[in-house]
Amino acid sequence: MWQKGDDTMSVANEDIYQLVDGTLDRGLAYVGSYLEKIIGRQVIITDCSGFIHYPYISYNIKHIDDSFVTLPNLSKNDYLYSETEKCLYYRIICSDSSACIIVRNLPASRVPLALTTLKQAKLAVKCYFSQINQTKKNAAIFEREMYEYLFGQSTANIADILALGNYQLSLDYVYYVDVMALRDVKNSKQWAAIMSYSREFLKRVAPEAFMISGPRFAVYMFPAKLKAMGIETFKTTLEKIYHVSASFGRSQPHPLYNLRRSC
């Protein structure tokens, strides 16, 4: 715990900068393991959609739901402690997004000390997610361009669009397209959470596929050499978790240079 005095505060600041350096060099596991050591409880670090960034979740896990946690509404507060769950939620604002540190099995008497430690790690976590968010912004440019191309709103060259997303793909590769429309989505935050869930699902079932989302649809592009993915399980899961209605359409296969015909 921090004490008054210049020397002690200086040490605390050094610790903060060490956490930042360690996280930038070694990843989120550096600050996550530090928090668990100091607090003595399990720590989970998520993005604003509840997707777990620490501890590392393998893509080989059986259930994608294990990669997500449900976050409480923290829009008005930096933290929330649930006495029922004995769980502390600590929010960190990162530009126009946020992250959340969750401490589980934490007695109420230990919340003040835990909050002091979380504040010490705040800058390190913020730096990590700022890097992640910049990557997402770059991906969003690619998605917007591809979405407009597929739905006839752009005359851009698809090869140039793929380069935006760092996809080194031959234009002769044949893909088929699934288009998903959702009804009863409550707000943009829920839409973003559904898209995050969808991307993690896609990584597990078809790592060679890619996905884009737009104002009306989410579009999944699968190499035609892959067996057409059964969508019913995914549809049922989305509807159950998020209380929405999902509809899917599937195209005929087309080479990338003519993929617009799929939509």
Side-chain angles (χ1 to χ4, degrees), residues 41-74:
R41 290 292 187 271
Q42 179 191 14
V43 167
I44 296 172
I45 305 176
T46 80
D47 60 22
C48 60
S49 70
F51 176 66
I52 298 171
H53 288 252
Y54 175 84
Y56 172 75
I57 303 295
S58 170
Y59 289 152
N60 295 323
I61 63 170
K62 185 175 182 180
H63 300 293
I64 184 177
D65 295 0
D66 294 338
S67 298
F68 288 82
V69 295
T70 301
L71 299 177
N73 185 1
L74 293 171

Side-chain angles (χ1 to χ4, degrees), residues 228-243:
M229 184 185 68
I231 211 71
E232 284 304 314
T233 300
F234 179 49
K235 178 179 183 296
T236 300
T237 301
L238 279 183
E239 293 177 334
K240 178 180 178 181
I241 294 176
Y242 296 102
H243 307 291

Side-chain angles (χ1 to χ4, degrees), residues 72-91:
N73 185 1
L74 293 171
S75 59
K76 297 181 180 180
N77 301 292
D78 288 335
Y79 72 92
L80 182 148
Y81 178 73
S82 170
E83 293 187 3
T84 303
E85 300 175 354
K86 294 192 181 302
C87 193
L88 175 63
Y89 299 87
Y90 182 75
R91 183 178 67 145

Side-chain angles (χ1 to χ4, degrees), residues 47 66 138 140 147 185 209 216-217 226 235 257:
D47 60 22
D66 294 338
N138 295 338
Y147 186 92
V185 178
R216 296 178 58 201
F217 305 107
L226 295 178
K235 178 179 183 296
Y257 68 79

Side-chain angles (χ1 to χ4, degrees), residues 120-132:
Q120 188 179 19
K122 179 178 179 179
L123 185 59
V125 174
K126 188 170 183 175
C127 287
Y128 171 85
F129 279 99
S130 293
Q131 290 182 320
I132 296 294

Side-chain angles (χ1 to χ4, degrees), residues 14 27 36 43 54 76 88 91 93 133 147 172 175 184 201 215 222 225 227-228 239-240 242 244 254 258:
E14 288 178 6
E36 290 181 333
V43 167
Y54 175 84
K76 297 181 180 180
L88 175 63
R91 183 178 67 145
I93 301 298
N133 290 338
Y147 186 92
D172 292 326
Y175 279 72
D184 305 320
F201 172 82
F222 299 91
K225 64 182 180 180
K227 183 179 179 181
E239 293 177 334
K240 178 180 178 181
Y242 296 102
V244 296
H254 292 281
N258 205 18

